[in-house]
Amino acid sequence: MDTMRSIRTYVTGMYRLGDDPGAAYTLLLSALEPLTRHFEIPEPTWEDYPANKRRPMDLALGSADGGTRRSVRAALLELDKNAIGRRFRLFVDAHLDAAFFREEAAATISPIGRSSLHGCLGHAYALRSSYLHASKGLPRELTLGLVSRAETIQVVGRGTFLTFEGLSRLVRHVIRQFIARQEPVEKEPYDYFGEEPGVPQLEAAPQYWLHTPGDFTARDGRKRLFEFCGQLASGLEAGETAQISNLSDVLEQAVGRLSEMARKARLPFLVLHRLYSSVVPEDCQVDEAIEIVCRYEEEMDDPSIETVLLALMVEAVPSWPLDEHEAVVRAYFEGKQRGEGVRIHTLLEVGITLELAERYRESGDEMNAKKLVGFALENDPGNESLIRLEREFDPSEPIRWMEVLALPARESDDD
């Protein structure tokens, strides 16, 4: 599939010549990048290090002893070993056969020579970077040269550059050489289903899997807990009874394996059992399961994102120190930003943030309370209730998250 991506990118680059030469040049160069991923390159030497960086470093190390110079150079070369530009140049060099400089070049104008190749590729990579990162266009000599058949052109004060003609021939040749050198196979072991047009891959909605037992891991337990809380939150948001999955089979299997689980894996299931038991009728609960869960009661006393959610959903004020409460909430959002773990429903993110804001308000820390209100709003942009709360913030008024969001109060077990 890397080869097909390269060919598609090359064709797209040729199509873009007429409307955006900078994008076309970038795409033609990028067409080879998928092929370089597994290309083995030799260990670099100090002479391979870019001259514009090597000379200043040699001057700086001039008075250092030999051991220090070798250590610094080795560290720099290690960082440079997998530099994309160097890998790209060596890959291209390795995939040019004799014909590229002979028969294929015979009918061209100003073809690129072997000794100019690395310099031209370096210039091409610099143009690609300046286009992508600074929206800079190509040198005028290259765009005026679109009507020329020359493969290289001299840019005053900057050296030899590949024209579109030269870059196109170079890329075509390298792709063909790459294909020709591959081991032939009768059938490629690749699942092409995902490549079918109009076939997206989507995660199944929780109602299709949440109720099914399976092998339980720390990540699986947290995901099931968060999705179940999401079902409860959706009901609150819609102002109606939540449509929840039947977790009887899941919890029966999980409770039976609590003793085998590590504490981190066990906690989400303990909290899930507690929440599920709080919303289903008593005749749907198993006394034996409740008795087993009670043995691990103290594990739900420590601050964690699971127990923060539990406190929120059962409307209990956490008893942990405020700084520990804040650390848990902060760690959740930082992990979410890094793409770690699984995320909770936006409504509940607002809820845990406002609950923390209320604890700060109650402690007399108006500044942090208002800051957290703003943070809740920025994580649910445009929420009119939060906009109003931030604008009319009154440190003497309690922050009750369900009232702020105009959510209906949960029915108690006595109702």
Side-chain angles (χ1 to χ4, degrees):
M1 291 311 298
D2 286 341
T3 306
M4 294 305 299
R5 290 191 191 97
S6 292
I7 294 172
R8 283 199 296 264
T9 305
Y10 171 83
V11 171
T12 303
M14 296 302 290
Y15 274 118
R16 296 302 303 275
L17 270 171
D19 66 287
D20 191 338
Y25 202 90
T26 297
L27 287 166
L28 289 177
L29 192 68
S30 299
L32 297 181
E33 289 185 334
L35 308 182
T36 68
R37 290 188 303 155
H38 304 297
F39 180 64
E40 294 293 332
I41 60 175
E43 290 291 326
T45 67
W46 187 239
E47 292 305 312
D48 294 323
Y49 201 66
N52 62 328
K53 299 178 181 178
R54 186 177 68 243
R55 294 191 190 102
M57 190 57 64
D58 283 338
L59 288 173
L61 294 171
S63 59
D65 60 75
T68 300
R69 285 199 298 273
R70 285 191 296 272
S71 297
V72 172
R73 288 174 178 175
L76 292 172
L77 288 174
E78 182 64 27
L79 293 172
D80 190 58
K81 183 168 63 175
N82 294 317
I84 297 175
R86 179 171 180 266
R87 179 183 296 274
F88 183 87
R89 292 191 297 272
L90 292 175
F91 173 82
V92 170
D93 206 25
H95 287 79
L96 295 179
D97 69 356
F100 181 80
F101 299 101
R102 292 171 176 79
E103 294 86 355
E104 290 184 15
T108 63
I109 302 170
S110 299
I112 185 173
R114 173 75 75 178
S115 61
S116 303
L117 179 64
H118 282 205
C120 286
L121 291 175
H123 287 314
Y125 235 84
L127 292 179
R128 171 188 178 277
S129 296
S130 63
Y131 176 83
L132 288 175
H133 304 304
S135 300
K136 290 185 178 179
L138 301 176
R140 182 165 296 183
E141 292 87 344
L142 284 181
T143 54
L144 290 175
L146 281 172
V147 296
S148 169
R149 295 297 303 276
E151 291 197 342
T152 61
I153 194 169
Q154 296 295 318
V155 176
V156 178
R158 298 176 66 180
T160 306
F161 282 69
L162 282 167
T163 64
F164 285 97
E165 188 79 19
L167 184 59
S168 175
R169 182 169 79 91
L170 178 74
V171 173
R172 286 199 311 273
H173 181 95
V174 171
I175 292 175
R176 286 171 176 165
Q177 281 294 309
F178 180 85
I179 295 171
R181 298 179 190 184
Q182 301 306 300
E183 290 284 341
V185 293
E186 288 189 17
K187 183 178 180 181
E188 186 178 5
Y190 185 81
D191 181 9
Y192 284 92
F193 181 76
E195 303 291 335
E196 293 287 339
V199 180
Q201 293 189 12
L202 303 174
E203 187 172 357
Q207 61 264 32
Y208 297 111
W209 57 265
L210 193 55
H211 62 286
T212 59
D215 292 328
F216 300 133
T217 64
R219 183 179 176 84
D220 181 67
R222 178 173 280 189
K223 185 173 183 180
R224 288 177 188 267
L225 170 62
F226 287 5
E227 291 293 356
F228 178 71
C229 289
Q231 291 184 336
L232 296 178
S234 296
L236 284 173
E237 216 168 23
E240 56 189 34
T241 302
Q243 300 297 310
I244 61 172
S245 299
N246 184 343
L247 302 186
S248 301
D249 292 341
V250 170
L251 290 174
E252 181 180 357
Q253 184 169 326
V255 168
R257 295 177 53 189
L258 288 178
S259 60
E260 306 169 14
M261 297 182 190
R263 182 170 178 140
K264 184 177 180 181
R266 188 161 52 227
L267 179 60
F269 287 110
L270 295 173
V271 174
L272 181 59
H273 183 275
R274 172 72 68 81
L275 281 176
Y276 186 71
S277 298
S278 72
V279 296
V280 297
E282 285 189 14
D283 57 0
C284 295
Q285 301 177 31
V286 181
D287 293 339
E288 183 182 353
I290 295 173
E291 181 182 340
I292 294 173
V293 169
C294 287
R295 298 174 193 169
Y296 303 95
E297 189 80 19
E298 76 283 352
E299 293 185 13
M300 288 186 279
D301 293 337
D302 297 331
S304 65
I305 189 59
E306 290 88 351
T307 50
V308 164
L309 264 179
L310 176 61
L312 181 76
M313 299 305 292
V314 301
E315 301 180 55
V317 179
S319 58
W320 323 299
L322 184 51
D323 58 340
E324 293 182 20
H325 186 174
E326 182 188 20
V328 167
V329 173
R330 189 192 313 117
Y332 163 74
F333 282 107
E334 288 174 353
K336 176 188 172 185
Q337 194 166 2
R338 291 191 297 267
E340 299 172 0
V342 286
R343 54 161 299 189
I344 62 179
H345 194 287
T346 300
L347 180 75
L348 303 182
E349 289 185 342
V350 170
I352 64 174
T353 307
L354 292 184
E355 285 288 88
L356 183 59
E358 167 58 12
R359 289 197 68 189
Y360 269 112
R361 184 205 68 81
E362 199 171 35
S363 71
D365 191 340
E366 176 184 343
M367 183 181 70
N368 270 321
K370 190 166 185 179
K371 183 179 177 181
L372 283 163
V373 169
F375 182 72
L377 169 57
E378 291 175 3
N379 278 301
D380 189 12
N383 187 309
E384 294 183 2
S385 298
L386 294 174
I387 292 173
R388 185 164 53 252
L389 175 64
E390 182 184 51
R391 185 175 58 243
E392 301 172 359
F393 181 75
D394 182 352
S396 66
E397 290 291 327
I399 303 170
R400 297 187 175 90
W401 74 280
M402 296 186 71
E403 290 182 11
V404 168
L405 300 177
L407 300 175
R410 280 187 58 192
E411 293 181 1
S412 68
D413 295 336
D414 299 328
D415 291 340

